[in-house]
Amino acid sequence: DQQVKQNSPSLSVQEGRISILNCDYTNSMFDYFLWYKKYPAEGPTFLISISSIKDKNEDGRFTVFLNKSAKHLSLHIVPSQPGDSAVYFCAARAMYSGGGADGLTFGKGTHLIIQP
Amino acid sequence: AAGVIQSPRHLIKEKRETATLKCYPIPRHDTVYWYQQGPGQDPQFLISFYEKMQSDKGSIPDRFSAQQFSDYHSELNMSSLELGDSALYFCASSEQGSLIANYGYTFGSGTRLTVV
């Protein structure tokens, strides 16, 4: 059962336009969400995160929006640049009582292609 | 800046053999996570360690075991290898105290294991 879903395997966006990557989740215990960017043959690179107590977090060209009632989050990249072409993973973490080093649950990723 | 170091980068083993993957976290990071990413799949959390103790367990097969040593490096031991174990194995590290501010685990570049 996929708890974190990225329903678009790929997305093509023209350079300079806005890229919107979507992610849905089912586990109500998730309280922290992250976006990772991954190039081939490299490990995922942390991009941006958001706590469940917020609905928006912005860092430069990257903004993540969280809609808790819909269990949906999205990553906006504006303006999109050729170097943004990569696979983007949405990930979530559940903070169990007492905290602890819990692993992340990843979505299957969306391959973003920025066209010149 | 020092990153998460994984060795070896590539490993080829035959069925039923054993393999040991190593992970050296970023200095001062006390938590290590192991993930497995099969071809075309999302990264799956295997296991994590905090201060040399197992802190969380995901979908790690019984044939696999792992530990964290006094210098915080970690080893993933895989026995009775099967063809389905062929995957990219990522290690990530974090510092517990930083998790409240930023859940951005830092990933290594991975070890590509091929079982033939």
PDB file of all heavy atoms in Angstrom, chain B residues 10-40:
ATOM      1  N   HIS B  10      30.285   0.164  -6.496  1.00  0.00           N
ATOM      2  CA  HIS B  10      29.678  -0.908  -7.278  1.00  0.00           C
ATOM      3  C   HIS B  10      30.127  -2.248  -6.711  1.00  0.00           C
ATOM      4  O   HIS B  10      31.271  -2.382  -6.261  1.00  0.00           O
ATOM      5  CB  HIS B  10      30.098  -0.829  -8.751  1.00  0.00           C
ATOM      6  CG  HIS B  10      29.752   0.472  -9.396  1.00  0.00           C
ATOM      7  ND1 HIS B  10      28.516   0.719  -9.952  1.00  0.00           N
ATOM      8  CD2 HIS B  10      30.473   1.601  -9.566  1.00  0.00           C
ATOM      9  CE1 HIS B  10      28.504   1.948 -10.439  1.00  0.00           C
ATOM     10  NE2 HIS B  10      29.675   2.512 -10.218  1.00  0.00           N
ATOM     11  N   LEU B  11      29.220  -3.219  -6.762  1.00  0.00           N
ATOM     12  CA  LEU B  11      29.541  -4.546  -6.230  1.00  0.00           C
ATOM     13  C   LEU B  11      28.772  -5.580  -7.033  1.00  0.00           C
ATOM     14  O   LEU B  11      27.564  -5.435  -7.242  1.00  0.00           O
ATOM     15  CB  LEU B  11      29.144  -4.616  -4.757  1.00  0.00           C
ATOM     16  CG  LEU B  11      29.553  -5.825  -3.936  1.00  0.00           C
ATOM     17  CD1 LEU B  11      31.063  -5.983  -3.929  1.00  0.00           C
ATOM     18  CD2 LEU B  11      29.017  -5.703  -2.518  1.00  0.00           C
ATOM     19  N   ILE B  12      29.481  -6.591  -7.479  1.00  0.00           N
ATOM     20  CA  ILE B  12      28.846  -7.690  -8.198  1.00  0.00           C
ATOM     21  C   ILE B  12      29.064  -8.960  -7.398  1.00  0.00           C
ATOM     22  O   ILE B  12      30.194  -9.306  -7.055  1.00  0.00           O
ATOM     23  CB  ILE B  12      29.421  -7.844  -9.623  1.00  0.00           C
ATOM     24  CG1 ILE B  12      29.195  -6.567 -10.432  1.00  0.00           C
ATOM     25  CG2 ILE B  12      28.775  -9.050 -10.331  1.00  0.00           C
ATOM     26  CD1 ILE B  12      29.828  -6.593 -11.812  1.00  0.00           C
ATOM     27  N   LYS B  13      27.973  -9.641  -7.102  1.00  0.00           N
ATOM     28  CA  LYS B  13      28.036 -10.877  -6.322  1.00  0.00           C
ATOM     29  C   LYS B  13      27.197 -11.942  -7.005  1.00  0.00           C
ATOM     30  O   LYS B  13      26.275 -11.643  -7.768  1.00  0.00           O
ATOM     31  CB  LYS B  13      27.495 -10.632  -4.904  1.00  0.00           C
ATOM     32  CG  LYS B  13      28.393  -9.773  -4.023  1.00  0.00           C
ATOM     33  CD  LYS B  13      29.590 -10.555  -3.543  1.00  0.00           C
ATOM     34  CE  LYS B  13      30.411  -9.772  -2.553  1.00  0.00           C
ATOM     35  NZ  LYS B  13      31.564 -10.571  -2.051  1.00  0.00           N
ATOM     36  N   GLU B  14      27.511 -13.181  -6.677  1.00  0.00           N
ATOM     37  CA  GLU B  14      26.708 -14.283  -7.195  1.00  0.00           C
ATOM     38  C   GLU B  14      25.625 -14.638  -6.182  1.00  0.00           C
ATOM     39  O   GLU B  14      25.720 -14.307  -4.999  1.00  0.00           O
ATOM     40  CB  GLU B  14      27.586 -15.488  -7.501  1.00  0.00           C
ATOM     41  CG  GLU B  14      28.575 -15.227  -8.623  1.00  0.00           C
ATOM     42  CD  GLU B  14      29.314 -16.488  -9.038  1.00  0.00           C
ATOM     43  OE1 GLU B  14      29.145 -17.530  -8.393  1.00  0.00           O
ATOM     44  OE2 GLU B  14      30.070 -16.422 -10.015  1.00  0.00           O
ATOM     45  N   LYS B  15      24.592 -15.318  -6.689  1.00  0.00           N
ATOM     46  CA  LYS B  15      23.520 -15.787  -5.802  1.00  0.00           C
ATOM     47  C   LYS B  15      24.095 -16.605  -4.662  1.00  0.00           C
ATOM     48  O   LYS B  15      25.055 -17.340  -4.826  1.00  0.00           O
ATOM     49  CB  LYS B  15      22.522 -16.632  -6.594  1.00  0.00           C
ATOM     50  CG  LYS B  15      21.580 -15.828  -7.460  1.00  0.00           C
ATOM     51  CD  LYS B  15      20.394 -16.654  -7.935  1.00  0.00           C
ATOM     52  CE  LYS B  15      20.815 -17.930  -8.621  1.00  0.00           C
ATOM     53  NZ  LYS B  15      19.656 -18.690  -9.130  1.00  0.00           N
ATOM     54  N   ARG B  16      23.512 -16.431  -3.513  1.00  0.00           N
ATOM     55  CA  ARG B  16      23.872 -17.154  -2.281  1.00  0.00           C
ATOM     56  C   ARG B  16      25.153 -16.649  -1.633  1.00  0.00           C
ATOM     57  O   ARG B  16      25.521 -17.132  -0.567  1.00  0.00           O
ATOM     58  CB  ARG B  16      23.936 -18.671  -2.506  1.00  0.00           C
ATOM     59  CG  ARG B  16      22.562 -19.281  -2.796  1.00  0.00           C
ATOM     60  CD  ARG B  16      22.657 -20.778  -3.032  1.00  0.00           C
ATOM     61  NE  ARG B  16      23.260 -21.094  -4.312  1.00  0.00           N
ATOM     62  CZ  ARG B  16      22.601 -21.073  -5.468  1.00  0.00           C
ATOM     63  NH1 ARG B  16      21.336 -20.735  -5.503  1.00  0.00           N
ATOM     64  NH2 ARG B  16      23.220 -21.393  -6.591  1.00  0.00           N
ATOM     65  N   GLU B  17      25.798 -15.688  -2.264  1.00  0.00           N
ATOM     66  CA  GLU B  17      26.983 -15.103  -1.623  1.00  0.00           C
ATOM     67  C   GLU B  17      26.556 -14.063  -0.581  1.00  0.00           C
ATOM     68  O   GLU B  17      25.372 -13.781  -0.407  1.00  0.00           O
ATOM     69  CB  GLU B  17      27.885 -14.439  -2.673  1.00  0.00           C
ATOM     70  CG  GLU B  17      28.701 -15.425  -3.489  1.00  0.00           C
ATOM     71  CD  GLU B  17      29.790 -14.725  -4.282  1.00  0.00           C
ATOM     72  OE1 GLU B  17      29.516 -13.654  -4.869  1.00  0.00           O
ATOM     73  OE2 GLU B  17      30.920 -15.247  -4.328  1.00  0.00           O
ATOM     74  N   THR B  18      27.560 -13.513   0.107  1.00  0.00           N
ATOM     75  CA  THR B  18      27.290 -12.462   1.077  1.00  0.00           C
ATOM     76  C   THR B  18      27.933 -11.160   0.602  1.00  0.00           C
ATOM     77  O   THR B  18      28.890 -11.174  -0.192  1.00  0.00           O
ATOM     78  CB  THR B  18      27.841 -12.809   2.470  1.00  0.00           C
ATOM     79  OG1 THR B  18      29.265 -12.977   2.359  1.00  0.00           O
ATOM     80  CG2 THR B  18      27.224 -14.087   3.000  1.00  0.00           C
ATOM     81  N   ALA B  19      27.413 -10.063   1.095  1.00  0.00           N
ATOM     82  CA  ALA B  19      27.954  -8.751   0.736  1.00  0.00           C
ATOM     83  C   ALA B  19      27.900  -7.845   1.955  1.00  0.00           C
ATOM     84  O   ALA B  19      27.008  -7.977   2.802  1.00  0.00           O
ATOM     85  CB  ALA B  19      27.143  -8.121  -0.395  1.00  0.00           C
ATOM     86  N   THR B  20      28.870  -6.971   2.053  1.00  0.00           N
ATOM     87  CA  THR B  20      28.896  -5.994   3.141  1.00  0.00           C
ATOM     88  C   THR B  20      29.055  -4.610   2.543  1.00  0.00           C
ATOM     89  O   THR B  20      30.018  -4.343   1.812  1.00  0.00           O
ATOM     90  CB  THR B  20      30.060  -6.265   4.117  1.00  0.00           C
ATOM     91  OG1 THR B  20      29.867  -7.538   4.735  1.00  0.00           O
ATOM     92  CG2 THR B  20      30.095  -5.188   5.199  1.00  0.00           C
ATOM     93  N   LEU B  21      28.111  -3.752   2.840  1.00  0.00           N
ATOM     94  CA  LEU B  21      28.160  -2.375   2.376  1.00  0.00           C
ATOM     95  C   LEU B  21      28.488  -1.483   3.562  1.00  0.00           C
ATOM     96  O   LEU B  21      28.009  -1.707   4.675  1.00  0.00           O
ATOM     97  CB  LEU B  21      26.800  -1.962   1.794  1.00  0.00           C
ATOM     98  CG  LEU B  21      26.180  -2.875   0.744  1.00  0.00           C
ATOM     99  CD1 LEU B  21      24.920  -2.259   0.178  1.00  0.00           C
ATOM    100  CD2 LEU B  21      27.160  -3.199  -0.355  1.00  0.00           C
ATOM    101  N   LYS B  22      29.294  -0.458   3.290  1.00  0.00           N
ATOM    102  CA  LYS B  22      29.732   0.427   4.370  1.00  0.00           C
ATOM    103  C   LYS B  22      29.259   1.858   4.148  1.00  0.00           C
ATOM    104  O   LYS B  22      29.143   2.316   3.015  1.00  0.00           O
ATOM    105  CB  LYS B  22      31.253   0.398   4.505  1.00  0.00           C
ATOM    106  CG  LYS B  22      31.799  -0.978   4.866  1.00  0.00           C
ATOM    107  CD  LYS B  22      33.289  -0.951   5.095  1.00  0.00           C
ATOM    108  CE  LYS B  22      33.777  -2.347   5.483  1.00  0.00           C
ATOM    109  NZ  LYS B  22      35.227  -2.362   5.766  1.00  0.00           N
ATOM    110  N   CYS B  23      29.027   2.520   5.250  1.00  0.00           N
ATOM    111  CA  CYS B  23      28.550   3.897   5.207  1.00  0.00           C
ATOM    112  C   CYS B  23      29.266   4.711   6.267  1.00  0.00           C
ATOM    113  O   CYS B  23      29.288   4.341   7.449  1.00  0.00           O
ATOM    114  CB  CYS B  23      27.040   3.934   5.451  1.00  0.00           C
ATOM    115  SG  CYS B  23      26.374   5.595   5.700  1.00  0.00           S
ATOM    116  N   TYR B  24      29.838   5.814   5.834  1.00  0.00           N
ATOM    117  CA  TYR B  24      30.518   6.715   6.764  1.00  0.00           C
ATOM    118  C   TYR B  24      29.747   8.031   6.792  1.00  0.00           C
ATOM    119  O   TYR B  24      29.726   8.760   5.806  1.00  0.00           O
ATOM    120  CB  TYR B  24      31.968   6.932   6.330  1.00  0.00           C
ATOM    121  CG  TYR B  24      32.766   5.657   6.354  1.00  0.00           C
ATOM    122  CD1 TYR B  24      32.783   4.799   5.262  1.00  0.00           C
ATOM    123  CD2 TYR B  24      33.478   5.289   7.493  1.00  0.00           C
ATOM    124  CE1 TYR B  24      33.492   3.606   5.296  1.00  0.00           C
ATOM    125  CE2 TYR B  24      34.201   4.109   7.532  1.00  0.00           C
ATOM    126  CZ  TYR B  24      34.196   3.265   6.433  1.00  0.00           C
ATOM    127  OH  TYR B  24      34.895   2.084   6.478  1.00  0.00           O
ATOM    128  N   PRO B  25      29.088   8.321   7.908  1.00  0.00           N
ATOM    129  CA  PRO B  25      28.238   9.518   7.954  1.00  0.00           C
ATOM    130  C   PRO B  25      29.057  10.796   8.008  1.00  0.00           C
ATOM    131  O   PRO B  25      30.271  10.775   8.200  1.00  0.00           O
ATOM    132  CB  PRO B  25      27.457   9.323   9.255  1.00  0.00           C
ATOM    133  CG  PRO B  25      28.361   8.485  10.115  1.00  0.00           C
ATOM    134  CD  PRO B  25      29.089   7.573   9.168  1.00  0.00           C
ATOM    135  N   ILE B  26      28.353  11.886   7.843  1.00  0.00           N
ATOM    136  CA  ILE B  26      28.974  13.196   7.981  1.00  0.00           C
ATOM    137  C   ILE B  26      29.456  13.345   9.430  1.00  0.00           C
ATOM    138  O   ILE B  26      28.757  12.930  10.363  1.00  0.00           O
ATOM    139  CB  ILE B  26      27.961  14.300   7.616  1.00  0.00           C
ATOM    140  CG1 ILE B  26      27.695  14.276   6.122  1.00  0.00           C
ATOM    141  CG2 ILE B  26      28.427  15.672   8.073  1.00  0.00           C
ATOM    142  CD1 ILE B  26      26.624  15.231   5.662  1.00  0.00           C
ATOM    143  N   PRO B  27      30.645  13.919   9.636  1.00  0.00           N
ATOM    144  CA  PRO B  27      31.142  14.102  11.011  1.00  0.00           C
ATOM    145  C   PRO B  27      30.107  14.784  11.899  1.00  0.00           C
ATOM    146  O   PRO B  27      29.437  15.724  11.488  1.00  0.00           O
ATOM    147  CB  PRO B  27      32.377  14.980  10.807  1.00  0.00           C
ATOM    148  CG  PRO B  27      32.868  14.621   9.447  1.00  0.00           C
ATOM    149  CD  PRO B  27      31.623  14.372   8.635  1.00  0.00           C
ATOM    150  N   ARG B  28      29.950  14.284  13.097  1.00  0.00           N
ATOM    151  CA  ARG B  28      29.006  14.757  14.123  1.00  0.00           C
ATOM    152  C   ARG B  28      27.575  14.248  13.903  1.00  0.00           C
ATOM    153  O   ARG B  28      26.722  14.484  14.742  1.00  0.00           O
ATOM    154  CB  ARG B  28      29.001  16.284  14.251  1.00  0.00           C
ATOM    155  CG  ARG B  28      30.268  16.839  14.865  1.00  0.00           C
ATOM    156  CD  ARG B  28      30.126  18.337  15.127  1.00  0.00           C
ATOM    157  NE  ARG B  28      29.833  19.069  13.917  1.00  0.00           N
ATOM    158  CZ  ARG B  28      30.757  19.431  13.040  1.00  0.00           C
ATOM    159  NH1 ARG B  28      32.017  19.097  13.241  1.00  0.00           N
ATOM    160  NH2 ARG B  28      30.436  20.133  11.977  1.00  0.00           N
ATOM    161  N   HIS B  29      27.339  13.593  12.779  1.00  0.00           N
ATOM    162  CA  HIS B  29      26.030  12.973  12.606  1.00  0.00           C
ATOM    163  C   HIS B  29      25.998  11.669  13.385  1.00  0.00           C
ATOM    164  O   HIS B  29      26.919  10.856  13.311  1.00  0.00           O
ATOM    165  CB  HIS B  29      25.739  12.707  11.128  1.00  0.00           C
ATOM    166  CG  HIS B  29      25.284  13.917  10.396  1.00  0.00           C
ATOM    167  ND1 HIS B  29      24.728  13.851   9.132  1.00  0.00           N
ATOM    168  CD2 HIS B  29      25.281  15.231  10.740  1.00  0.00           C
ATOM    169  CE1 HIS B  29      24.412  15.077   8.740  1.00  0.00           C
ATOM    170  NE2 HIS B  29      24.743  15.925   9.692  1.00  0.00           N
ATOM    171  N   ASP B  30      24.927  11.476  14.150  1.00  0.00           N
ATOM    172  CA  ASP B  30      24.855  10.316  15.021  1.00  0.00           C
ATOM    173  C   ASP B  30      23.806   9.300  14.581  1.00  0.00           C
ATOM    174  O   ASP B  30      23.626   8.277  15.234  1.00  0.00           O
ATOM    175  CB  ASP B  30      24.553  10.764  16.464  1.00  0.00           C
ATOM    176  CG  ASP B  30      23.368  11.725  16.532  1.00  0.00           C
ATOM    177  OD1 ASP B  30      22.546  11.727  15.584  1.00  0.00           O
ATOM    178  OD2 ASP B  30      23.269  12.478  17.519  1.00  0.00           O
ATOM    179  N   THR B  31      23.134   9.591  13.505  1.00  0.00           N
ATOM    180  CA  THR B  31      22.053   8.719  13.044  1.00  0.00           C
ATOM    181  C   THR B  31      22.293   8.322  11.599  1.00  0.00           C
ATOM    182  O   THR B  31      22.640   9.153  10.767  1.00  0.00           O
ATOM    183  CB  THR B  31      20.696   9.431  13.158  1.00  0.00           C
ATOM    184  OG1 THR B  31      20.550   9.945  14.490  1.00  0.00           O
ATOM    185  CG2 THR B  31      19.555   8.476  12.870  1.00  0.00           C
ATOM    186  N   VAL B  32      22.125   7.051  11.339  1.00  0.00           N
ATOM    187  CA  VAL B  32      22.349   6.513   9.997  1.00  0.00           C
ATOM    188  C   VAL B  32      21.113   5.746   9.543  1.00  0.00           C
ATOM    189  O   VAL B  32      20.486   5.043  10.340  1.00  0.00           O
ATOM    190  CB  VAL B  32      23.579   5.578   9.991  1.00  0.00           C
ATOM    191  CG1 VAL B  32      23.700   4.866   8.665  1.00  0.00           C
ATOM    192  CG2 VAL B  32      24.845   6.358  10.273  1.00  0.00           C
ATOM    193  N   TYR B  33      20.765   5.908   8.285  1.00  0.00           N
ATOM    194  CA  TYR B  33      19.607   5.244   7.710  1.00  0.00           C
ATOM    195  C   TYR B  33      20.053   4.479   6.456  1.00  0.00           C
ATOM    196  O   TYR B  33      20.890   4.962   5.697  1.00  0.00           O
ATOM    197  CB  TYR B  33      18.546   6.253   7.266  1.00  0.00           C
ATOM    198  CG  TYR B  33      18.204   7.309   8.287  1.00  0.00           C
ATOM    199  CD1 TYR B  33      19.031   8.412   8.494  1.00  0.00           C
ATOM    200  CD2 TYR B  33      17.038   7.216   9.042  1.00  0.00           C
ATOM    201  CE1 TYR B  33      18.714   9.380   9.420  1.00  0.00           C
ATOM    202  CE2 TYR B  33      16.710   8.191   9.969  1.00  0.00           C
ATOM    203  CZ  TYR B  33      17.546   9.271  10.151  1.00  0.00           C
ATOM    204  OH  TYR B  33      17.231  10.230  11.075  1.00  0.00           O
ATOM    205  N   TRP B  34      19.457   3.335   6.229  1.00  0.00           N
ATOM    206  CA  TRP B  34      19.723   2.566   5.007  1.00  0.00           C
ATOM    207  C   TRP B  34      18.432   2.473   4.190  1.00  0.00           C
ATOM    208  O   TRP B  34      17.352   2.188   4.724  1.00  0.00           O
ATOM    209  CB  TRP B  34      20.212   1.156   5.336  1.00  0.00           C
ATOM    210  CG  TRP B  34      21.617   1.088   5.834  1.00  0.00           C
ATOM    211  CD1 TRP B  34      22.050   1.033   7.129  1.00  0.00           C
ATOM    212  CD2 TRP B  34      22.811   1.044   5.020  1.00  0.00           C
ATOM    213  NE1 TRP B  34      23.418   0.967   7.179  1.00  0.00           N
ATOM    214  CE2 TRP B  34      23.912   0.970   5.900  1.00  0.00           C
ATOM    215  CE3 TRP B  34      23.052   1.059   3.645  1.00  0.00           C
ATOM    216  CZ2 TRP B  34      25.235   0.909   5.459  1.00  0.00           C
ATOM    217  CZ3 TRP B  34      24.359   0.999   3.207  1.00  0.00           C
ATOM    218  CH2 TRP B  34      25.436   0.923   4.101  1.00  0.00           C
ATOM    219  N   TYR B  35      18.591   2.697   2.871  1.00  0.00           N
ATOM    220  CA  TYR B  35      17.481   2.597   1.948  1.00  0.00           C
ATOM    221  C   TYR B  35      17.880   1.697   0.778  1.00  0.00           C
ATOM    222  O   TYR B  35      19.047   1.659   0.379  1.00  0.00           O
ATOM    223  CB  TYR B  35      17.096   3.972   1.383  1.00  0.00           C
ATOM    224  CG  TYR B  35      16.427   4.883   2.380  1.00  0.00           C
ATOM    225  CD1 TYR B  35      17.176   5.651   3.262  1.00  0.00           C
ATOM    226  CD2 TYR B  35      15.042   4.969   2.435  1.00  0.00           C
ATOM    227  CE1 TYR B  35      16.558   6.475   4.181  1.00  0.00           C
ATOM    228  CE2 TYR B  35      14.414   5.806   3.352  1.00  0.00           C
ATOM    229  CZ  TYR B  35      15.180   6.545   4.213  1.00  0.00           C
ATOM    230  OH  TYR B  35      14.571   7.368   5.130  1.00  0.00           O
ATOM    231  N   GLN B  36      16.885   1.034   0.213  1.00  0.00           N
ATOM    232  CA  GLN B  36      17.096   0.195  -0.959  1.00  0.00           C
ATOM    233  C   GLN B  36      16.213   0.736  -2.094  1.00  0.00           C
ATOM    234  O   GLN B  36      15.017   0.955  -1.897  1.00  0.00           O
ATOM    235  CB  GLN B  36      16.686  -1.252  -0.641  1.00  0.00           C
ATOM    236  CG  GLN B  36      16.771  -2.222  -1.817  1.00  0.00           C
ATOM    237  CD  GLN B  36      16.068  -3.542  -1.504  1.00  0.00           C
ATOM    238  OE1 GLN B  36      14.903  -3.561  -1.165  1.00  0.00           O
ATOM    239  NE2 GLN B  36      16.798  -4.640  -1.607  1.00  0.00           N
ATOM    240  N   GLN B  37      16.819   0.945  -3.251  1.00  0.00           N
ATOM    241  CA  GLN B  37      16.037   1.410  -4.395  1.00  0.00           C
ATOM    242  C   GLN B  37      16.218   0.444  -5.551  1.00  0.00           C
ATOM    243  O   GLN B  37      17.285   0.396  -6.182  1.00  0.00           O
ATOM    244  CB  GLN B  37      16.448   2.816  -4.812  1.00  0.00           C
ATOM    245  CG  GLN B  37      15.576   3.376  -5.939  1.00  0.00           C
ATOM    246  CD  GLN B  37      15.937   4.793  -6.319  1.00  0.00           C
ATOM    247  OE1 GLN B  37      17.038   5.259  -6.042  1.00  0.00           O
ATOM    248  NE2 GLN B  37      15.015   5.495  -6.954  1.00  0.00           N
ATOM    249  N   GLY B  38      15.194  -0.309  -5.823  1.00  0.00           N
ATOM    250  CA  GLY B  38      15.223  -1.235  -6.946  1.00  0.00           C
ATOM    251  C   GLY B  38      15.026  -0.490  -8.253  1.00  0.00           C
ATOM    252  O   GLY B  38      14.623   0.672  -8.266  1.00  0.00           O
ATOM    253  N   PRO B  39      15.297  -1.147  -9.384  1.00  0.00           N
ATOM    254  CA  PRO B  39      15.159  -0.497 -10.703  1.00  0.00           C
ATOM    255  C   PRO B  39      13.750   0.050 -10.894  1.00  0.00           C
ATOM    256  O   PRO B  39      12.769  -0.691 -10.762  1.00  0.00           O
ATOM    257  CB  PRO B  39      15.457  -1.637 -11.682  1.00  0.00           C
ATOM    258  CG  PRO B  39      16.262  -2.625 -10.897  1.00  0.00           C
ATOM    259  CD  PRO B  39      15.763  -2.538  -9.491  1.00  0.00           C
ATOM    260  N   GLY B  40      13.657   1.334 -11.177  1.00  0.00           N
ATOM    261  CA  GLY B  40      12.370   1.947 -11.407  1.00  0.00           C
ATOM    262  C   GLY B  40      11.489   2.079 -10.178  1.00  0.00           C
ATOM    263  O   GLY B  40      10.300   2.368 -10.286  1.00  0.00           O
TER     264      GLY B  40
END
